[in-house]
């Protein structure tokens, strides 16, 4: 009986530690995504004022898209082991869809939708970061 209680306590402690680790990774992923979206706004300004702005904005788009994929991965890793709510996975997947739309709109040169969507993404990412 005493062995059974020890195993249960150890399993609970391990699950709690894994959940905290997953939550920290998720918070880092959201912060990274928020930072990359902000840097995209900065590089968009440089796009209008300098010769190297287009290169920075193009490279930044790839990094931002990668950060969105990392956010999805972190959300899945935080959800699956701990058995928590799948809501962060849905939020992260939504961001990946928005990032995909941003890439398509940027390549198609549709700034009338690309710019407001970028502002929306930054605001939503800040909100997600503040909620963590």
């Amino acid at each position: 009986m005493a062995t059974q209680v020890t195993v249960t306590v150890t399993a609970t402690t391990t699950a709690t530690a894994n959940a905290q680790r997953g939550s920290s990774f998720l918070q880092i992923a959201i912060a990274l995504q928020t930072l990359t979206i902000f840097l995209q706004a900065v590089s968009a300004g440089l796009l209008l004022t300098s010769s190297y702005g287009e290169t920075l904005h193009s490279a930044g788009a790839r990094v931002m898209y990668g950060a969105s994929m990392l956010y999805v991965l972190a959300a899945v890793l935080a959800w699956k082991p701990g058995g928590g709510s799948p809501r962060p996975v849905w939020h992260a997947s939504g961001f990946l869809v928005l990032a995909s739309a941003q890439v398509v709109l940027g390549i198609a040169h549709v700034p009338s939708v690309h710019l407001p969507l970028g502002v929306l993404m930054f605001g939503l990412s800040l909100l997600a970061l503040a909620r963590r």
Side-chain angles (χ1 to χ4, degrees):
M1 186 74 167
T3 305
Q4 201 172 28
V5 171
T6 304
V7 170
T8 304
V9 170
T10 304
T12 304
T13 304
T14 304
T16 303
N18 286 341
Q20 288 174 344
R21 224 176 291 123
S23 181
S24 296
F25 182 44
L26 182 59
Q27 190 168 4
I28 290 168
I30 295 170
L32 180 64
Q33 175 183 268
T34 305
L35 177 65
T36 59
I37 293 171
F38 177 74
L39 292 175
Q40 278 301 92
V42 171
S43 70
L46 289 173
L47 178 76
L48 301 172
T49 60
S50 70
S51 61
Y52 58 88
E54 183 177 357
T55 304
L56 282 176
H57 197 66
S58 178
R62 289 167 176 81
V63 173
M64 184 274 304
Y65 196 77
S68 294
M69 288 190 286
L70 182 67
Y71 179 22
V72 171
L73 176 65
V76 169
L77 291 175
W79 164 60
K80 253 326 194 185
S85 171
R87 182 174 288 177
V89 176
W90 289 109
H91 291 171
S93 298
F95 268 106
L96 190 58
V97 168
L98 291 175
S100 298
Q102 272 295 79
V103 169
V104 169
L105 291 167
I107 290 170
H109 299 288
V110 185
S112 61
V113 182
H114 182 75
L115 293 173
L117 184 57
V119 172
L120 175 68
M121 286 177 66
F122 181 67
L124 291 173
S125 195
L126 269 178
L127 184 62
L129 185 61
R131 294 172 81 192
R132 285 260 120 217

